[in-house]
Amino acid sequence: MRTLFVALLACASSQVFAFDVNPFLSALGQELRITCKATDSEACLALCGESSECRIEEPSCRSCAGTQNLWMKRVLDQVGLSLRARGAPISDAQFLELLKVGSWISLHEKSLYNYSSVFNGALIKEQFDRACAEVGGVDGILLIKTHPVTHVPEEIMGMICSEALTHDAHLYLFPESENRLSAIYKRRPLPASSDRR
Amino acid sequence: MQSFRKSIFLILMITGIPLRSSAESRKPLIFENRAACALDSKLPADSALLIVDSYNAGKLVDSWLKGLEPNISANMNTEKGLRYFRLAVTEMFMTLASEILNGRLPLISSDDEIIKRCQGQTPCPEMEMKLDQVFQAWTQISAVPNVPLQGASVSCLYLRKFSEFQAPWNRDRPDQSVLQKLAQDTLNSKDLVSECFDESESLSSRRFALQFDLNGQDPRWWSQHGFDFWFSLKLYFSYSWRNPTYILGETHPLLGLFRSLAVEQMMSLVSNTCKSIEKPVCTESQTALEVYRLIARAGAPADLDHPFSRGADQALLAQAVPVYHEDVAVLPEGQEAGVWLKSYQDQILKNRGFLKQKLLSAVSLFELMKSALPVEDLQKGLLTLRSQIQDHPLLYKKMQVLCSEDSLAFHPLFGVMEKKLEGVVSDKSFEMLFDSISNQQLRDLVSYGVNVGKMIEPLCEQIKVEQLWAKGKEPEAADLSAWYRDLMGNGDSGSNDFFGLGNLFNQDAMGLPAVLSQERSTDSGTEKSTVCSDVSDCGRLILKTLVDLNSISTWTSALTPMKEWIQSPSLANPWATEQACKLYDPWYATHRAFVAMVGDLFTTTVTGIAPIPAYLAIDLKPSTVTGFQPEPLAGDVLLHPNLQRGGVSYSLGIDLGPWTGIPCAAIVSPNAIGANTNGFYTLGGVRAEACMAQNSHRLTVTGASDSNANPNAQRSSCLMCYLNPYSTARSLSMLGTTPVPLLRLAAGVVFSGVSLIKKLSDPVDVPRRFTVDPAKVAATFQKYSFIPKHCVRRLIHGHSCRWAWLTADERKHEPVEE
């Protein structure tokens, strides 16, 4: 999976797109909505075949909804502290590729998996804003990689931050080698599963 | 709501699967005493309660509704969402249970090879793959035979109130008043229970208890496969919950939300009788599960409340084996089920929360300290402080406290921590939990803490050698950590003091900036908080964190399990774990009675033949457990009890009175501390009463039910001679008359029998069961408008009482017309 992911990133072009990313709660659960500007409709076309907006339904997150999930609690506690967007974002094309092929869920102020503080409350809002402050962004969204079959959250991928004025979204990865805290929050991988379904 | 249910019900009806959800019939209730209840713990339960706390589902639905786009009409509210959750849980359990009983879903044993390979790890991809195959096959119903297994079916009730139907949880022998209430409850069961699938809003879905009863199964088949049934049911439930379309269909409105719930931690499936859902095995996780019953018994002190954990096995050893069910009474009859559930679940929540806080705090601290304060840096800092303790009185006190605590933890001779921490790092379930929240190795963090502790110890010894401490001046108790005070038995060490580091912790002794600080989130941004003010504080914090890790690892397997597995603590049977760990032997009193009878018969034979009254008293001593030997096994730790064998003690006595005229008896007890007269005087038949009076202040006879007695292993012999005026009188009479051996023999045999019956009538430790059929009790009640005393004996043995001899008082009652 990791090899495939790296290969995709390497192949991705360095084209610049402009699009918003916003979290929503749909009838089925969490989803991310990618809204492309009229001039950049090819980004959405590439992502989902629609020209203006893509809705990406998130898969379930195994045992994430509950007060007992200590990993999720720890991650949420660290948003805005050790978990902050830093450095340069990855290219928009890479970002789109990652959204398209990866198995992930999002954490944000309206996340269903927040059992640590009040839903959409002042504390969590402040945390996710602070998470993007260093790169001059707002409305942080944390992306967490999940196991494609078991849906167990496995690793923090990065922080999506929106530019304050244009709302253009960018993804700041937490590479293991550069960010000590992403290493802390990386869980050990599960035993490899054979092909199923 | 109806649509997804209808689909599954249609299938079940067409295929003739017996799925019952009604209060129409009640299984007979079994009341058991301690010994019987302990014995039955080895058998699979045929009735279970599912206790559910739906808070997480409620919060999920509530958050979802708040965040839902305004233009989406969910036609939903939180209460409705909770009801959907309750019905989805019910649906899953009932369908899966029925499908297992019908042979469409195969029984999976806990000894299954894949289960063993998974070693308790969930999710386990290999197991998931197997379950995929099982459920895909299940969807092709026609391909699987519809052959009910042994005619078994399952029924379900929603409990509104606890009643006499749960009385066996609290009592061993039902009396007249219990039967009376049971009859009333049977006749008014609508107030107590509801249909499981009742969608009415008046039923609580926030907290609820469902009762599942197995009916019609072949007892032999059930005793062989009952545990596999419950195991399979739990396994299938966990799988189906995350793949809900198999049971709930595609149309369930909250399907996408519910599947992300950590559903197993919201419920427990407990036996409704003395029998078990999971076979009791003496393991660390089983002993830790005992905490749930202690929690259910409001206010009971548990090791969990102690800052320094002695371990679940030690807690088990320390507690006396409860005598009656009341000792652990959990279900208050007549109370709304929700009231008890609230207090029980709140207690669990409180304890879990406390444990989680401790764990997260310990992990963060260790990660932070290990990276920010290497052992060498701490050592340098402490050496600097040592050179300044004479100049700073506060620093002096702080160092003294550090040295006292470190010495108790890591002194080479009497330090308590090192061995405990070896247990912590070898605890697989704790390691799994630790791995889930940190990518640091548990072993590395613990080893960092141990190195710090061992580094401080010689430094403190050096201070002692240099005589820097003022003589006779010990640290104040209030300055010491709670764990230290707890371990030294110095009271006031309750868990309310979360940090529990005493008065001096983080007091600035030198006017320097804090050695270690960290950022914390607040509503308005972040703030810096001091982790430790100087290195002595850091050292104490590390020691305290090690103590916490030990305490957390003891209880996490029970309270914050990593496994996606519905827990089954033995709430209704306080002796299941005691029996599994050999702390209680339900056959002891019975064996002891028969062994004593052998002695009685021997004595009878001797005294019957010879005119010399000699006796042999044999007593069986109980084995005692002195500790446990741990052995890691498949993600758990098996505890092998260190048994001190009880063996047999005997006393040989000769009453010299009849023979010599001297009022004296000689008793030899080669392996008992005191002479055992077990039955001697009473065996004397006509002489019994007089001699018993003499006996009362001379010898202590251990009661047959006194298996709590912990006899000293010390052995001694004794030869006793004591005055027995009655013996003299008897001797004179005996010497002057012709003995009648046959009569003595007969009297002796009769007495032996009476003595045996008396011992076997022990109400606590000789297995005893009473079966009460609620329908028969209700019928009796309807006939007389009360339960006559005369009927009690018949009813508690499962019989009807068609005719009763009424007492004068009872005759005053007006019979109810039929």
Side-chain angles (χ1 to χ4, degrees), chain B residues 315-328:
Chain B
L316 191 70
L317 267 181
Q319 77 184 32
V321 179
V323 179
Y324 298 110
H325 290 262
E326 284 98 321
D327 293 351
V328 286

Side-chain angles (χ1 to χ4, degrees), chain B residues 8 74 87 125 129 310 370 380 525 539 696-697 714 717 748:
Chain B
I8 196 75
L87 294 170
M129 198 159 69
R310 273 79 172 168
K370 187 169 173 269
K380 277 181 204 159
S696 64
H697 60 87
Q714 186 189 343
S717 302

Side-chain angles (χ1 to χ4, degrees), chain A residues 24-29 31 33 55 59-71 73-74 77 79-81 84 110-119 122-123 126-127 130 149-152 176 180 183-188 190-197, chain B residues 55-57 59-60 63-64 66-69 72 121 123 125 128-129 132 136 239 242-243 246 253 256-257 259-262 264-265 349 352 356-357 359-360 363-364 367 371 431 433 435-441 519-526 559-562 564:
Chain A
F24 278 90
L25 296 181
S26 72
L28 294 172
E31 67 176 37
R33 261 177 228 179
R55 295 180 171 202
S60 63
C61 183
R62 189 166 182 134
S63 299
C64 293
T67 47
Q68 286 280 82
N69 193 319
L70 296 184
W71 185 77
K73 177 171 169 47
R74 229 186 145 199
D77 286 350
V79 168
L81 293 176
R84 289 180 189 178
K110 288 182 183 171
S111 174
L112 295 172
Y113 311 126
N114 170 22
Y115 277 73
S116 299
S117 59
V118 179
F119 175 83
L123 177 67
E126 204 282 328
Q127 280 182 272
R130 191 157 16 96
V149 177
T150 61
H151 306 299
V152 173
E176 200 176 317
R180 185 179 65 83
I184 284 178
Y185 290 116
K186 185 184 171 195
R187 292 158 56 126
R188 275 193 211 145
L190 286 163
S193 63
S194 44
D195 288 332
R196 305 173 355 141
R197 287 179 178 157
Chain B
Y55 172 82
N56 289 343
K59 175 154 169 58
L60 185 67
S63 299
W64 177 68
K66 281 177 184 160
L68 210 54
E69 278 185 281
I72 297 182
Q121 188 181 1
E128 296 262 307
M129 198 159 69
D132 278 346
Q136 273 163 21
Y239 175 84
R242 291 171 181 88
N243 299 277
Y246 284 120
L257 293 186
R259 62 195 299 184
S260 292
L261 282 167
E264 294 85 357
Q265 292 165 4
L349 219 61
R352 275 181 177 166
K356 279 190 292 186
Q357 276 300 101
L359 176 63
L360 289 173
V363 172
S364 308
E367 283 176 356
S371 62
E431 195 181 12
L433 178 68
D435 282 354
S436 77
I437 52 176
S438 171
N439 89 326
Q440 299 264 323
Q441 297 276 341
E519 265 188 320
R520 277 191 347 186
S521 285
T522 64
D523 279 3
S524 54
T526 57
L559 285 169
T560 54
M562 270 302 291
E564 286 167 351

Side-chain angles (χ1 to χ4, degrees), chain A residues 12-170:
Chain A
S13 70
S14 57
Q15 201 171 349
V16 176
F17 297 114
F19 52 85
D20 295 359
V21 176
N22 290 297
F24 278 90
L25 296 181
S26 72
L28 294 172
Q30 293 197 165
E31 67 176 37
L32 279 193
R33 261 177 228 179
I34 291 91
T35 315
C36 298
K37 303 235 164 40
T39 49
D40 290 310
S41 59
E42 56 195 289
C44 283
L45 280 170
L47 187 59
C48 65
E50 300 285 332
S51 58
S52 60
E53 186 182 74
C54 290
R55 295 180 171 202
I56 306 178
E57 270 179 28
E58 293 179 16
S60 63
C61 183
R62 189 166 182 134
S63 299
C64 293
T67 47
Q68 286 280 82
N69 193 319
L70 296 184
W71 185 77
M72 199 58 89
K73 177 171 169 47
R74 229 186 145 199
V75 169
L76 281 165
D77 286 350
Q78 287 298 317
V79 168
L81 293 176
S82 53
L83 293 175
R84 289 180 189 178
R86 292 187 180 95
I90 60 170
S91 78
D92 294 330
Q94 284 175 321
F95 183 9
L96 288 172
E97 279 298 324
L98 198 147
L99 288 178
K100 195 174 176 182
V101 301
S103 171
W104 47 264
I105 56 117
S106 63
L107 279 189
H108 41 79
E109 60 201 32
K110 288 182 183 171
S111 174
L112 295 172
Y113 311 126
N114 170 22
Y115 277 73
S116 299
S117 59
V118 179
F119 175 83
N120 205 18
L123 177 67
I124 192 117
K125 276 182 177 176
E126 204 282 328
Q127 280 182 272
F128 275 102
D129 275 344
R130 191 157 16 96
C132 290
E134 256 181 58
V135 294
V138 290
D139 301 333
I141 301 171
L142 193 65
L143 278 192
I144 293 176
K145 187 179 149 195
T146 57
H147 191 279
V149 177
T150 61
H151 306 299
V152 173
E154 290 183 327
E155 186 180 343
I156 294 169
M157 291 159 65
M159 187 73 75
I160 301 174
C161 295
S162 297
E163 288 179 29
L165 291 176
T166 61
H167 292 286
D168 290 350
H170 305 287

